[in-house]
Amino acid sequence: MKKLINGPDEFLRDGLDGMALAHADLLVLDEQRRYLRRRQTTPGKVALISGGGTGHEPLHGGFVGYGMLDAACPGQVFTSPTPDQMLAAAEAVESGAGVLYIVKNYSGDVMNFAMAAELATGPVASVITNDDVAVEDSTWTQGRRGVAGTLVVEKVVGAAAEQGADLDSLRNLGERVNGCTRTMGVALTSCTVPAIGSPTFVLADDEIEMGVGIHGEPGRRRQAMAAADSLASELLGSVLEDLKPQRGSEVLLLVNGFGGTPLLELYGMVSAAHRVLDAAGIRVVRHLTGSYVTSLEMAGCSLSLTLLDETIAPLWDAPVHTPALRWGR
Amino acid sequence: MKKLINGPDEFLRDGLDGMALAHADLLVLDEQRRYLRRRQTTPGKVALISGGGTGHEPLHGGFVGYGMLDAACPGQVFTSPTPDQMLAAAEAVESGAGVLYIVKNYSGDVMNFAMAAELATGPVASVITNDDVAVEDSTWTQGRRGVAGTLVVEKVVGAAAEQGADLDSLRNLGERVNGCTRTMGVALTSCTVPAIGSPTFVLADDEIEMGVGIHGEPGRRRQAMAAADSLASELLGSVLEDLKPQRGSEVLLLVNGFGGTPLLELYGMVSAAHRVLDAAGIRVVRHLTGSYVTSLEMAGCSLSLTLLDETIAPLWDAPVHTPALRWGR
């Protein structure tokens, strides 16, 4: 295992400290490193909190800031944060309008966020994301996994929160955005969790994992490597089969790298995705392309579609100022 | 070789097409794919053009836009673009105030940009970047290599161009920024050029290339893997020895991933870099952290410092709106 770390035990500490140093204008790291929070909060706003295992950066800490999250709770690599982290984060950023937890659907995260919600003294609601169409139930999941589409939920709900929406509306909006978002991914290589020191899974030189999860969980099958057009066709075919958009629908296309894939390959997947979507009569009117919801250094990508409407599109376009997403201010 | 491509011959075409699709609000791709240019140009401004082999994305195409480049000429992977690409780009974006070429110091690029400058009908000047302190002369270079610091030159000179500086001033500024910027990098793995299909070099499981170039050229030596603090100490030690900043100097710290390194490791290198710089009495007052000047999927990073002064810091902070860097508008 070769990594730019001092050791498995220092990986999270050094990474979080560096994140706080690099974005000191935006982020504050709790002294006990239980959460990253916004430096400047918007008074009277519902507080949005997410979190989960680390190793997916910039998700979630890189999405803390104006127009998106108020705080993010980092667990150990691929391990849920604890309820006390979530409670401490809520205490730090809650300002009277309640707290919305945005939680990826993994059993550990769901359980710990539920415990934190039970222990809360003020109003709390939760949105569970489960955009991954690859498989029902998985290594750490009952039902579908929450993956790259989570960032779309965080962005859209974050914009609505900034505009003053109340807790109930935000939960409903979050569920609606999750409900019109679908994702599927493919891995070309594994990743290596520092504390384990060996690859999570092993693929042959010509083999890929179709439908992989963001922790390297199994997908639908192992198969031979295929051309970009063929991969885009299967990934988006599965997404479209499940999402069932009408011809002429307008979508956001998120081409998300898993951490080890060059940007130029991701742009190539944008081309490939357009060919598939053009043929299906789907209109891509917004793009996000880059490594946003990663799996350490895993090579591969996921493709996500979100159906846009007159509510969601303007909220996607609304100003955001976080370490990883910034526009409009 | 597993890559998200249709084939080596389609890699560049699909990647550039995808880049233009994903950033259609900002970029226009020439029909013959000779250059990417800004959709909206600023009339009367000196035109800034860069380019080079692809495989380093987002450099350079991702830096085309307001406050940075007017056009970028993409060559084949790790191969210089041709003079006719540069001439076509200049013709497309020149608006009467002349053209400044920003060129990384590789023999092919320098020669081709020089030929384009000779063939130009209007005023042209060039800035050659050579910020890499690792080695003098290298596989494709006489003198030092131009690497990640090039983006700092593009950003600072781009801001000054937007403010109306003339061609001579911009060339002088570019040379000054290059002159107060130093970089050194380390590779943990090789990359694979699609048209070749096998790794550019081979490292053992516990081996790294200290001082590597952004095409996988040899650095100072092969050595055993070391901890992040030790790597930061050698990289920045070499940078500081060459840059010779006074104690108390204010710098921009650029922690740049080579494409295959997770963001959390890069943030860990920010922590490590701060420990080295604190001890040296150097004050980091600006940060940029991410994979900006890459070598396909190579794992590793480079650390760059730019000395800031009352001219350079505000130009770094000035608004920029490109696919890969955006702030202030």
Side-chain angles (χ1 to χ4, degrees):
Chain A
M1 176 180 67
K2 285 188 285 190
K3 288 178 182 285
L4 298 171
I5 60 177
N6 283 311
D9 294 342
E10 291 79 29
F11 179 48
L12 188 54
R13 179 199 72 186
D14 287 349
L16 292 173
D17 288 357
M19 207 163 174
L21 285 165
H23 306 289
D25 53 331
L26 295 175
L27 302 181
V28 177
L29 177 62
D30 167 55
E31 279 188 15
Q32 297 170 58
R33 299 190 183 86
R34 294 172 297 181
Y35 56 83
L36 283 154
R37 69 167 171 85
R38 281 195 210 185
R39 185 167 289 285
Q40 294 179 318
T41 50
T42 305
K45 188 184 82 70
V46 172
L48 261 58
I49 300 179
S50 190
T54 45
H56 304 302
E57 287 65 33
L59 186 88
H60 297 276
F63 299 139
V64 172
Y66 179 87
M68 226 162 154
L69 300 176
D70 292 273
C73 301
Q76 292 291 323
V77 173
F78 296 172
T79 302
S80 174
T82 55
D84 70 288
Q85 290 183 260
M86 298 149 194
L87 278 169
E91 205 166 284
V93 299
E94 210 274 333
S95 67
V99 171
L100 184 69
Y101 288 136
I102 300 178
V103 185
K104 301 192 299 301
N105 187 37
Y106 297 96
S107 306
D109 296 78
V110 170
M111 187 180 71
N112 286 348
F113 272 101
M115 282 181 62
E118 273 176 35
L119 294 167
T121 52
V124 175
S126 297
V127 173
I128 312 281
T129 63
N130 63 347
D131 53 306
D132 188 344
V133 302
V135 292
E136 290 292 328
D137 304 336
S138 180
T139 316
W140 297 295
T141 322
Q142 298 216 327
R144 289 183 173 182
R145 302 173 296 216
V147 291
T150 307
L151 92 80
V152 183
V153 175
E154 292 178 358
K155 169 67 185 79
V156 171
V157 174
E162 216 66 61
Q163 293 172 9
D166 65 19
L167 185 56
D168 269 358
S169 315
L170 292 174
R171 179 185 45 204
N172 293 341
L173 176 65
E175 286 173 353
R176 196 159 76 76
V177 176
N178 177 64
C180 65
T181 299
R182 298 288 191 287
T183 301
M184 193 159 121
V186 60
L188 276 55
T189 67
S190 178
C191 52
T192 295
V193 176
I196 297 174
S198 56
T200 304
F201 58 104
V202 176
L203 291 171
D205 283 349
D206 63 346
E207 207 179 29
I208 60 176
E209 180 74 33
M210 176 57 70
V212 71
I214 57 170
H215 313 89
E217 308 97 305
R220 293 184 172 182
R221 65 175 183 283
R222 296 272 164 97
Q223 65 166 73
M225 184 60 201
D229 279 340
S230 162
L231 298 176
S233 179
E234 169 146 11
L235 295 174
L236 287 175
S238 302
V239 161
L240 291 172
E241 193 180 300
D242 204 85
L243 188 61
K244 296 184 176 52
Q246 297 192 316
R247 281 187 78 87
S249 293
E250 299 194 333
V251 298
L252 161 68
L253 168 65
L254 166 56
V255 175
N256 174 60
F258 284 144
T261 286
L263 187 56
L264 199 57
E265 290 183 37
L266 298 180
Y267 282 125
M269 290 301 288
V270 172
S271 293
H274 269 260
R275 287 187 280 271
V276 174
L277 295 169
D278 284 352
I282 305 299
R283 297 180 52 217
V284 182
V285 296
R286 298 289 187 283
H287 288 88
L288 185 66
T289 311
S291 293
Y292 290 105
V293 180
T294 61
S295 309
L296 296 169
E297 71 283 358
M298 192 158 88
C301 76
S302 63
L303 303 183
S304 304
L305 297 182
T306 298
L307 282 172
L308 297 176
D309 61 22
E310 286 172 9
T311 306
I312 297 174
L315 291 169
W316 176 259
D317 294 339
V320 61
H321 185 174
T322 70
L325 281 191
R326 181 170 182 181
W327 54 75
R329 62 176 261 158
Chain B
M1 175 180 68
K2 286 188 283 191
K3 289 178 182 285
L4 297 171
I5 61 176
N6 282 311
D9 294 342
E10 290 78 31
F11 179 49
L12 188 54
R13 180 200 71 186
D14 287 349
L16 293 173
D17 288 358
M19 205 161 176
L21 285 164
H23 306 288
D25 53 331
L26 294 175
L27 302 181
V28 177
L29 177 62
D30 168 53
E31 280 188 14
Q32 298 170 59
R33 299 190 182 85
R34 294 171 297 181
Y35 56 83
L36 284 154
R37 68 166 171 85
R38 279 195 211 188
R39 186 167 288 283
Q40 294 179 318
T41 50
T42 304
K45 188 184 81 70
V46 172
L48 260 57
I49 300 177
S50 190
T54 46
H56 304 302
E57 288 64 32
L59 185 89
H60 297 275
F63 300 138
V64 172
Y66 179 87
M68 227 161 152
L69 299 176
D70 290 273
C73 301
Q76 293 292 321
V77 174
F78 296 171
T79 303
S80 175
T82 55
D84 70 289
Q85 290 182 261
M86 299 149 193
L87 278 169
E91 205 165 284
V93 299
E94 210 274 333
S95 67
V99 172
L100 183 70
Y101 288 135
I102 300 178
V103 186
K104 301 192 298 305
N105 187 36
Y106 298 96
S107 306
D109 296 76
V110 170
M111 186 180 71
N112 287 349
F113 273 102
M115 280 180 62
E118 272 176 35
L119 294 167
T121 50
V124 176
S126 298
V127 172
I128 313 283
T129 63
N130 63 348
D131 53 306
D132 188 344
V133 302
V135 292
E136 290 291 329
D137 303 336
S138 180
T139 315
W140 297 296
T141 322
Q142 299 216 326
R144 289 181 174 184
R145 303 173 296 217
V147 291
T150 307
L151 92 79
V152 183
V153 174
E154 292 178 358
K155 170 67 185 80
V156 171
V157 174
E162 216 65 61
Q163 293 171 10
D166 66 18
L167 185 56
D168 268 358
S169 315
L170 292 173
R171 179 185 45 203
N172 292 341
L173 175 65
E175 287 174 351
R176 195 158 77 77
V177 176
N178 177 65
C180 64
T181 299
R182 299 287 191 288
T183 300
M184 194 159 118
V186 60
L188 276 55
T189 67
S190 179
C191 53
T192 295
V193 175
I196 296 174
S198 56
T200 304
F201 58 104
V202 177
L203 291 171
D205 284 348
D206 62 347
E207 205 178 33
I208 60 178
E209 181 74 34
M210 176 57 69
V212 72
I214 58 171
H215 311 91
E217 308 97 303
R220 292 183 173 182
R221 66 176 183 280
R222 295 271 165 97
Q223 66 165 72
M225 184 61 200
D229 280 340
S230 161
L231 297 176
S233 178
E234 169 146 11
L235 294 174
L236 288 175
S238 302
V239 162
L240 291 172
E241 192 180 300
D242 204 83
L243 189 59
K244 296 185 175 53
Q246 297 192 317
R247 281 187 79 87
S249 293
E250 298 194 335
V251 297
L252 160 68
L253 169 65
L254 166 56
V255 175
N256 173 62
F258 284 144
T261 286
L263 187 55
L264 199 57
E265 291 184 35
L266 299 180
Y267 282 125
M269 290 300 289
V270 172
S271 293
H274 270 260
R275 286 188 279 271
V276 174
L277 295 169
D278 284 352
I282 305 299
R283 297 180 52 217
V284 181
V285 295
R286 298 289 186 283
H287 287 87
L288 187 67
T289 311
S291 293
Y292 290 105
V293 179
T294 62
S295 308
L296 297 167
E297 71 282 359
M298 192 159 87
C301 76
S302 63
L303 303 183
S304 303
L305 298 182
T306 297
L307 282 171
L308 297 176
D309 61 24
E310 287 172 10
T311 306
I312 296 174
L315 291 169
W316 175 259
D317 294 339
V320 61
H321 186 174
T322 69
L325 281 191
R326 181 171 182 182
W327 55 74
R329 63 176 260 156

